[in-house]
C-alpha cells in the first residue's frame, strides 16, 4: 500500500493533495499496489467523503485535538501512529 497524507485547511482540500493522490496511483499501478489516504483533523469534517471518490482503498481520519493547528510535534506524533498502524510500503 502507498499512503498519502492529505493536506487541508479547515476541511478545505489543498489541491496539491489531489496531485499527490494521482502520483501515488500512477506509481501504485506500476507496482501492483493500492493507495490509501490519511487526513489529519481535530474535528469531524466531510473531507473524507469528498476524497473517497478518488479510487482509494481506504480513507483514514487521524483525529486529535493536537491537530487543530500545525505543530511539528503534533503532526509527527500523528504520522508515526498512522504509519505504525497501517504499515504501508511507501508514504
Amino acid at each position: 500500500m502507498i499512503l498519502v497524507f492529505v493536506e487541508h485547511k479547515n476541511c478545505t482540500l489543498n489541491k496539491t493533495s489531489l496531485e499527490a493522490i494521482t502520483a501515488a496511483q500512477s506509481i501504485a499501478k506500476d507496482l501492483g499496489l493500492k493507495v490509501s489516504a490519511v487526513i489529519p483533523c481535530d474535528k469531524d469534517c466531510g473531507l473524507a467523503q469528498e476524497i473517497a471518490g478518488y479510487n482509494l482503498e481506504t480513507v483514514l481520519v487521524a483525529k486529535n485535538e493536537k491537530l487543530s493547528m500545525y505543530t511539528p510535534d503534533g503532526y509527527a506524533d500523528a504520522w508515526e501512529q498512522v504509519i505504525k498502524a497501517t504499515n504501508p510500503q511507501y508514504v
Side-chain angles (χ1 to χ4, degrees), residues 31-81:
L31 299 176
L33 299 173
K34 301 284 185 181
V35 177
S36 293
V38 62
I39 303 166
C41 202
D42 66 325
K43 60 186 177 212
D44 292 327
C45 74
L47 193 54
Q49 293 172 343
E50 180 181 339
I51 67 166
Y54 288 97
N55 194 28
L56 298 166
E57 182 178 36
T58 56
V59 177
L60 307 166
V61 178
K63 189 175 171 184
N64 189 310
E65 291 177 3
K66 293 179 182 178
L67 300 174
S68 64
M69 293 184 64
Y70 177 79
T71 63
D73 291 341
Y75 273 63
D77 288 347
W79 296 165
E80 180 181 17
Q81 290 175 21

Side-chain angles (χ1 to χ4, degrees), residues 10-23:
N10 296 321
C11 296
T12 299
L13 184 64
N14 183 323
K15 291 169 87 174
T16 59
S17 292
L18 293 179
E19 294 170 4
I21 290 170
T22 301

